[in-house]
Amino acid sequence: MINQFASYMEENGWQVERYENPNQYISDTVTSRYKNIPKQWLEFIESIKCMMNAEETIWFLCAYDYDMQSDEAFPWNAWEQISLESASGDKEWERKIRIFWENHLPIVMSVKGGYSYYAISMKDGSVVRGAEPEFEECEVAAPSFAEFMGKIVKGEILAGILEN
């Protein structure tokens, strides 16, 4: 499924870089914070080194994006950081933001037409979508990461959501 998905994305103008051999590196940031990470997503980040649209405004987060040493313009948890800055001083709001992000692993980030993301819910494995200004208000896009990839390949998500 991952190879089919990567090929589809390449055919549709996305930049895709694959590992020659499975990458076993996954940042402790991810594995210590998130429990119940779906196997399909782990296989994805073991296979895909980089995946972004031609304009570099939408990208799938890959293994090294979660490395805290990374000097990316938008760290993997940028939307969480923005929310916490907005809640500055409101302890209850900050607590709710932290709980939300402890249960939602960001997997896709977008700066195209505003800030948005896709994340995997650690509660049920579904893929959710959220956007600014209230990042924590999200909707289910697919019941699993595998079905998320399938919906993109079928054109059900890419045309309607990733390219917004």
Side-chain angles (χ1 to χ4, degrees), residues 38-109:
K39 180 182 174 198
Q40 297 91 354
W41 182 77
L42 291 171
E43 290 171 358
F44 173 83
I45 64 168
E46 289 175 356
S47 304
I48 305 298
K49 188 174 185 178
C50 174
M51 182 179 283
M52 68 182 80
N53 69 348
E55 298 86 15
E56 298 182 7
T57 56
I58 306 169
W59 61 98
F60 279 76
L61 294 166
C62 296
Y64 287 103
D65 292 316
Y66 297 96
D67 190 339
M68 297 306 282
Q69 308 302 318
S70 176
D71 60 351
E72 298 293 324
F74 291 97
W76 69 274
N77 62 344
W79 307 162
E80 176 184 12
Q81 292 172 5
I82 289 170
S83 289
L84 288 170
E85 286 174 20
S86 296
S88 181
D90 185 329
K91 298 299 180 192
E92 180 60 20
W93 189 10
E94 289 176 359
R95 185 186 71 76
K96 288 178 181 179
I97 290 167
R98 284 190 177 92
I99 289 171
F100 176 85
W101 289 108
E102 286 171 7
N103 289 295
H104 292 87
L105 170 63
I107 60 168
V108 177
M109 294 179 75

